[in-house]
Amino acid sequence: MNNSTRQKFIDGKFLKQYNSAPDFGSKAEMSSSESNDSSPPPELKNPFTVTSEELMERKSLVLWRRPIATLKYGALEAAQWLLSFAMKLVNRWLLGSLLFFSILYFLPGPHESVVRYCEKNMAFTIYWLGLGVLSSVGFGSGLHTFLLYLGPHIASVTMAAYECQTLDFPMPPYPEKKICPSGTYTRMLPSVWSILSKVRPESFLWGLGTALGELPPYFMARSARLSGQELEDEEEVGVTERPTFVDNAKVFMERVVRRIGFMGILLCASVPNPLFDLAGITCGHFLVPFWKFFGATIIGKAFVKATFQQLFVIVAFSEDLVNKLVAGLGGLPWIGKPIQGIIKDVLKSTKKQMHSPSKSDVVLSFSIVVRAFELCAFLMVAAFVVSLINSLAQINLKRRQDKEREMKYMELLLSADDKEKEFSV
């Protein structure tokens, strides 16, 4: 019995009780004001309505306000998710397949070269797909893997292409390291489109991963609509504050998705949009077909947006533009010369490393920049982990609140039935 069915059952029982109260003389006259009221008490009208107190308690469950409670509920929710995932893995066909491929992987034989080739490409695919999923999962608070991984990868390929005047980097160490080929080779200044083709597989897999990361909001909203529940955004009660810019942007996005349909989803997915989770929620709530939503999301994120992001990074790190940028920084007062010197050292050391990767002293000249980048990466990862813990804790608290509210009203229903039986006797 889902929530909507239970709600109708409970409301019907209360209406029946309060509409058919028997007459017991003076006692009934003394409570005539209560018996004439044909509706149940206010607290019994909608057992599944979220109160403002519950919403405030849920929103206050963050690490910087309630660290112990947040860690507790977050750990419980994470453990529950891991347990449910492990239970789904307990399938004889899945376990049999895993056992077969494990034996095939470790067993030596003529198939070993094929296994190693598949292993290399599978690791490459899973790596970039996983980074894409991490970038979009988490309702707008995902890990920004484009700034941390894909963007620097494209930038290093672009700089190496202009320095080496080729895109035929030795494999390995490419793509982990970009170094010029040893010996003589044909030198030709690469074009923007050739560099774009070089990094297209990584960008496509990353964009596909971002599209996959948008599926949880869609399925959550769809299942909530089919089960008769309300969306999380529709549960906010008593909100009288003036709408902010973000609120107006949410309303605008929902209208675009609802009115334009496929092209609206494609338009929202084709631009860097931290509010695109709302498009998934809207499509799931209004039961938009899965392939209509997912197809538009893949085209927008894996092809359109990823291509524009690649072009931006490639053009930004082209040799001519970088030289003009460095020359322009020298004209800034006070800080221009120091920043110009640091960037020149970074570019010089990077170019040396492409020709002589075995030398370790080239890294020391820009250690400050490396440490700054590592600090930024650490802060972004920490923010992602904090937002993930907060989300897990709030989800667990919401489930507990729903269960407590349901149990409370079921107890009230049973007590009302007992009173009805006493009156009938």
Side-chain angles (χ1 to χ4, degrees), residues 353-420:
Q353 196 172 12
M354 293 174 187
H355 294 284
S356 54
S358 59
K359 294 182 179 180
S360 59
D361 55 344
V362 297
V363 183
L364 300 177
S365 59
F366 60 102
S367 59
I368 299 177
V369 179
V370 174
R371 294 293 179 268
F373 179 79
E374 290 178 353
L375 178 61
C376 292
F378 173 77
L379 293 177
M380 295 178 72
V381 173
F384 171 72
V385 173
V386 169
S387 64
L388 182 61
I389 294 175
N390 293 338
S391 300
L392 290 175
Q394 293 174 5
I395 291 173
N396 188 270
L397 180 59
K398 179 181 182 297
R399 184 181 294 111
R400 290 173 178 269
Q401 290 175 346
D402 294 340
K403 188 177 296 185
E404 291 176 359
R405 198 183 315 112
E406 182 178 347
M407 293 300 297
K408 176 182 177 181
Y409 283 99
M410 291 301 293
E411 291 175 358
L412 291 174
L413 174 62
L414 293 176
S415 63
D417 288 339
D418 294 338
K419 291 180 181 179
E420 182 179 357

Side-chain angles (χ1 to χ4, degrees), residues 58-74:
R58 196 185 310 165
K59 291 181 179 179
S60 66
L61 194 63
V62 290
L63 282 174
W64 51 88
R65 290 184 180 179
R66 301 167 57 189
I68 299 177
T70 304
L71 290 175
K72 173 186 173 181
Y73 289 122

Side-chain angles (χ1 to χ4, degrees), residues 28-58:
E29 292 177 358
M30 293 174 61
S31 59
S32 59
S33 60
E34 299 179 4
S35 61
N36 291 333
D37 188 5
S38 61
S39 60
E43 67 272 10
L44 304 180
K45 285 184 178 180
N46 193 353
F48 299 99
T49 300
V50 179
T51 63
S52 58
E53 291 79 7
E54 291 177 339
L55 279 176
M56 293 299 295
E57 182 184 4
R58 196 185 310 165

Side-chain angles (χ1 to χ4, degrees), residues 165-185:
Q165 295 186 1
T166 185
L167 288 171
D168 297 329
F169 306 120
M171 297 182 61
Y174 182 84
E176 285 76 14
K177 294 181 180 180
K178 293 81 179 173
I179 62 175
C180 300
S182 58
T184 58
Y185 59 92

Side-chain angles (χ1 to χ4, degrees), residues 225-279:
R225 177 65 183 273
L226 293 175
S227 63
Q229 300 176 3
E230 296 294 332
L231 291 176
E232 182 72 16
D233 293 340
E234 296 178 355
E235 292 180 349
E236 297 186 3
V237 294
V239 179
T240 59
E241 297 179 357
R242 187 176 179 180
T244 61
F245 173 77
V246 177
D247 297 331
N248 294 328
K250 292 179 180 179
V251 175
F252 173 75
M253 182 170 300
E254 291 179 358
R255 289 177 179 175
V256 168
V257 172
R258 290 177 58 184
R259 295 181 180 180
I260 307 180
F262 181 88
M263 295 304 299
I265 302 171
L266 179 61
L267 177 64
C268 294
S270 300
V271 295
N273 189 356
L275 301 177
F276 187 77
D277 293 323
L278 297 174

